[in-house]
Amino acid sequence: MSQDLVTFLHARLDEEADLARRCDGDGCGEWTADGHTVDFCQGELSGFHPTVALHVALHVALHDPARVLREVEAKRRVLARHVLSPATGDPELPWDNRDDCQYDGETWPCDDLLDLVSPYADHPDYPRRP
């Protein structure tokens, strides 16, 4: 899995940030739900049963581009902290000669990194463990 995991995660975060920026192209502001409509400068959601439309509207509003961009940046900060510290040539690693996470010393990829990538497990490019 190694660096493929990091490359994969960076690509997914880039895609999410790009889509969020394109969804708020005119900078119309915060998305809000009001009944079965979402104020995101696009109009009303139609074609849904009213109960479902309410939930869809709330879900869409929750994915306000500004919030998505904040989430992407937070994930990038976590990813930047949890980098590979290779065992080879590392004077700080006298134990087991294993690769570890520079942030928490856990075996790399650490649980935090695996948690960040887990929502994308159904993506066709998801790196599988050997």
Side-chain angles (χ1 to χ4, degrees):
M1 194 181 269
S2 66
Q3 283 300 120
D4 292 345
L5 180 79
V6 174
T7 301
F8 171 81
L9 190 51
H10 276 293
R12 301 299 70 79
L13 294 175
D14 290 347
E15 289 170 355
E16 289 179 14
D18 182 58
L19 181 58
R21 284 187 207 96
R22 286 186 282 138
C23 287
D24 195 28
D26 61 1
C28 68
E30 182 179 334
W31 293 13
T32 57
D34 181 21
H36 67 282
T37 63
V38 177
D39 178 9
F40 60 125
C41 306
Q42 298 296 320
E44 179 175 317
L45 295 173
S46 61
F48 293 101
H49 181 277
T51 302
V52 174
L54 172 62
H55 297 295
V56 169
L58 291 170
H59 181 75
V60 168
L62 178 65
H63 290 85
D64 170 3
R67 190 204 62 80
V68 170
L69 290 171
R70 288 190 305 271
E71 182 178 342
V72 165
E73 288 309 310
K75 289 177 180 178
R76 288 186 198 280
R77 288 190 301 274
V78 172
L79 184 57
R81 285 191 301 268
H82 292 270
V83 296
L84 169 66
S85 180
T88 307
D90 187 345
E92 300 295 319
L93 280 177
W95 54 89
D96 299 332
N97 196 33
R98 64 175 172 80
D99 294 344
D100 70 351
C101 173
Q102 186 173 338
Y103 181 74
D104 58 20
E106 298 296 322
T107 300
W108 198 89
C110 67
D111 288 342
D112 289 340
L113 191 54
L114 294 173
D115 285 345
L116 280 178
V117 78
S118 67
Y120 307 101
D122 61 347
H123 191 281
D125 296 334
Y126 185 83
R128 304 291 172 202
R129 287 187 175 219

